[in-house]
Amino acid sequence: MLTKLGKYEIRHEIGRGSMGVVYAAYDPDVQRAVAVKVASAEGLTGGDLNERFRKMFFNEAQAGGMLRHPAILDIFDAGVDDEKCYLVMELIPNGDTLRTFCRADNLLPMNQAVEIIFQCAKALDYAHRQGVIHRDIKPSNILLTPELAVKIADFSIAHINHVDLSQTLAMGFVGSPRYMSPEQLQEDPITHQTDLYALGVVFYELLTGRHPFGGESFSNLMYRVLNEPPTPLEYYRPDLPPMLVSIVSRCLEKLPARRYRMGIDLATDLSVAFTHLARPPEDIPMRDKFERIKDLAFFRGFPDVEIWELLRASLWRNAVAGATIIEEGQDDDTFFIIVSGTVTVTKRGHVLAQLAAGECFGEMSYFNKAKRIATVTADAAVILMRVDATRIEQVSLEGQLRFSRGFLRALSERLTKTIEMAVPLRSP
C-alpha cells in the first residue's frame, strides 16, 4: 500500500483516469491537504512508449504550472520517487466533476449551467493568452467545488505554443473523440478555438444530457461531426431562450472562423444572457446615450474618448417601478450606474439609502466578487448602465484605470455618507 511519495503523506485514493491514480495527501512543509496524481504503471512499460508517456505526464506539470487562475486547478509540484512519476495538485474537498450534471435525469437549472460555462470561458481565455491550448476539454476534466465553482484540470496533452514542443507535446490523434473538433478529427492544425468547440459540446450536454451529434460508434460520430449539423438544441429544450441557443450553435460551428474568436467573446455573450434585467432600450442612439452620461457625477474628469469606450463596453437596461434590480445574497459582480430615475437600497427590510442619476451601486460585489449585501429596488422607471469585469477587460488600459478611479471615488463617497449617517456630528 502506497503511504508516501517524496515528502507527501498519502492518505487515500480519490480517483482513477487514463493517465494515473489520484490520492488525497498531505504536505507537511506547508501543512496543507493536497491531491497527488501518480502515473499509471501500465503507462510506464519501457522504450519509446515509456518516454512518450512521461512527456505527456509532465506536460501537465509544465502547462498547469504556467497558469494561475481561480478556475484552473493549481499544480504545486512534480517529481519522481522510486520510478513513480507524480504531480502535486490543489485538492478540492467534496468536489465532483461536470459529468455528474450531464445526464438527462440530473440537469442543473439553466442559470447555473450558464454560470459554469461562463467561468470556463474566462479560464480558457486566460490560458489561451498564455499560449496554452488544453485540447481535452470534457465534463470529467472540469471539476466543481460544492459551491459549483469551476476548476479546469488535466493539461496532460495541452499544446504549449512558446516552448520546444518536441520535448513536451504528445503529437498525433489525441484527445477524447466525443469532444474533438472537426479539425482535431482530421488532424489539421488547431487553435484555441478547438477548446471553445469542445466547451460548446460540454455546454450542449449540460443543458440537455445528450450529445449534439449522438453517434453509436466512433465512425458514425466522426462522420456526423464532419458532415452534419448538430441536433437542434430546441428539440430537447424548447424552453431555452433563443439567445442561448444561438450561443451554443456558434460554439459548434464546423469552421473555426465562424466560432467565437476568443473565450472572452463567449463570456461576454453569456454575461448578457445570464444577468440581463430587461430588454435594453435599443431605440436610444449611441450619440444620445453619450450626451446623457457625459455630465453624470461618476464620469467627472473622464475625457470623451474614454467615456465612449466605457459606453461601448456597457449594456443599458430599463427597470420598471418596483422592480428588484439586485437582491441581497445574490451571486453577481455587476456594477450599475444610474442614468435616470431613483432607486432605494435596503438591507433586511431597512432602508439604507436612496440613489439618483449619476450615482452607482453594486460596487462592493464588483470589487470583492462576493454575494450581494443589500437589495436595490427601482422607485420609478429607471435607466441603468450595467458594467461587469468581463466587459471592462476589453477597454484600453487607460480607460480601465480611469474607470477604477471613478469606481474608488464612488466607493469612498459611499463610505463617507455611511459614516455620517451612523455617527452624526455633534454641535459645539
Side-chain angles (χ1 to χ4, degrees):
M1 178 179 177
L2 188 63
T3 59
K4 195 169 186 180
L5 275 174
K7 65 179 180 178
Y8 302 99
E9 301 167 6
I10 305 300
R11 298 291 170 80
H12 56 85
E13 181 180 324
I14 56 177
R16 286 178 176 262
S18 59
M19 295 291 290
V21 183
V22 181
Y23 298 91
Y26 182 74
D27 182 346
D29 285 357
V30 294
Q31 299 182 349
R32 70 178 170 195
V34 295
V36 173
K37 181 176 180 180
V38 183
S40 171
E42 290 77 12
L44 301 175
T45 56
D48 293 340
L49 182 61
N50 181 5
E51 184 61 24
R52 183 179 178 184
F53 186 89
R54 286 176 181 267
K55 287 178 180 178
M56 290 178 65
F57 192 79
F58 287 111
N59 189 64
E60 181 173 6
Q62 182 165 3
M66 293 169 58
L67 307 174
R68 286 292 178 268
H69 188 278
I72 295 176
L73 194 72
D74 280 332
I75 303 290
F76 300 131
D77 192 11
V80 179
D81 184 0
D82 193 24
E83 298 188 354
K84 291 184 176 66
C85 302
Y86 65 90
L87 300 179
V88 183
M89 307 174 293
E90 179 183 4
L91 179 67
I92 309 300
N94 303 312
D96 203 344
T97 73
L98 205 53
R99 184 169 53 184
T100 299
F101 304 105
C102 288
R103 303 197 316 262
D105 62 349
N106 194 39
L107 299 179
L108 292 167
M110 179 190 68
N111 283 355
Q112 289 185 355
V114 170
E115 171 64 21
I116 285 170
I117 300 300
F118 176 74
Q119 293 180 57
C120 291
K122 291 202 297 182
L124 287 175
D125 185 84
Y126 165 79
H128 297 157
R129 292 176 192 275
Q130 308 309 307
V132 177
I133 303 172
H134 190 285
R135 296 205 302 172
D136 199 19
I137 293 296
K138 58 184 178 181
S140 59
N141 283 340
I142 299 174
L143 307 182
L144 296 175
T145 71
E147 297 76 30
L148 298 186
V150 163
K151 295 286 184 179
I152 296 178
D154 199 346
F155 284 78
S156 58
I157 61 170
H159 180 118
I160 308 173
N161 282 329
H162 55 274
V163 299
D164 180 0
L165 299 182
S166 66
Q167 295 303 310
T168 62
L169 182 63
M171 302 301 290
F173 190 81
V174 291
S176 301
R178 286 175 58 85
Y179 303 93
M180 283 185 180
S181 63
E183 60 269 25
Q184 272 182 298
L185 289 173
Q186 298 179 111
E187 298 189 61
D188 289 337
I190 63 168
T191 69
H192 49 267
Q193 289 170 296
T194 294
D195 284 347
L196 299 182
Y197 176 92
L199 188 61
V201 178
V202 173
F203 200 2
Y204 189 105
E205 290 186 327
L206 197 58
L207 292 169
T208 67
R210 296 172 173 85
H211 192 277
F213 295 98
E216 297 180 358
S217 65
F218 173 67
S219 58
N220 180 259
L221 173 66
M222 185 172 178
Y223 178 83
R224 292 197 61 191
V225 169
L226 293 176
N227 299 286
E228 297 183 359
T231 303
L233 194 57
E234 307 94 310
Y235 179 81
Y236 299 115
R237 292 291 303 271
D239 60 311
L240 296 179
M243 183 176 184
L244 197 54
V245 174
S246 176
I247 289 171
V248 178
S249 297
R250 186 173 175 185
C251 291
L252 295 176
E253 287 284 357
K254 298 189 188 304
L255 296 176
R258 301 188 64 179
R259 295 178 209 146
Y260 286 100
R261 188 178 66 86
M262 296 292 293
I264 196 69
D265 300 320
L266 169 57
T268 296
D269 275 4
L270 287 174
S271 73
V272 175
F274 185 56
T275 62
H276 70 279
L277 298 170
R279 190 175 65 184
E282 297 174 339
D283 55 331
I284 303 177
M286 287 292 285
R287 168 56 66 175
D288 290 352
K289 290 181 179 181
F290 174 80
E291 293 297 329
R292 285 194 182 200
I293 69 172
K294 68 183 180 67
D295 294 324
L296 293 179
F298 184 89
F299 295 102
R300 187 169 66 246
F302 280 61
D304 286 0
V305 66
E306 290 173 9
I307 295 177
W308 275 108
E309 270 198 294
L310 289 167
L311 184 58
R312 294 188 183 98
S314 68
L315 294 172
W316 279 38
R317 293 290 180 260
N318 289 333
V320 298
T324 299
I325 301 167
I326 62 175
E327 190 169 359
E328 187 176 348
Q330 182 181 32
D331 281 315
D332 188 9
D333 61 358
T334 307
F335 179 71
F336 295 92
I337 301 167
I338 304 172
V339 178
S340 67
T342 61
V343 302
T344 297
V345 184
T346 60
K347 185 173 180 64
R348 297 176 185 172
H350 299 288
V351 175
L352 299 181
Q354 187 178 58
L355 307 177
E359 296 185 279
C360 58
F361 58 90
E363 65 272 13
M364 293 302 294
S365 293
Y366 179 93
F367 183 72
N368 293 324
K369 303 293 188 291
K371 292 182 184 294
R372 296 294 191 188
I373 62 173
T375 297
V376 178
T377 307
D379 296 330
V382 296
I383 297 178
L384 303 163
M385 184 174 173
R386 182 176 74 82
V387 182
D388 60 39
T390 301
R391 288 180 173 270
I392 285 296
E393 288 173 1
Q394 301 175 61
V395 174
S396 68
L397 291 177
E398 292 80 4
Q400 291 184 45
L401 179 59
R402 189 83 60 178
F403 175 80
S404 296
R405 288 173 178 168
F407 171 84
L408 292 173
R409 183 177 65 244
L411 193 58
S412 175
E413 290 172 355
R414 180 69 49 76
L415 181 59
T416 300
K417 288 181 181 179
T418 302
I419 293 173
E420 288 175 351
M421 291 176 60
V423 187
L425 293 175
R426 295 182 179 178
S427 55

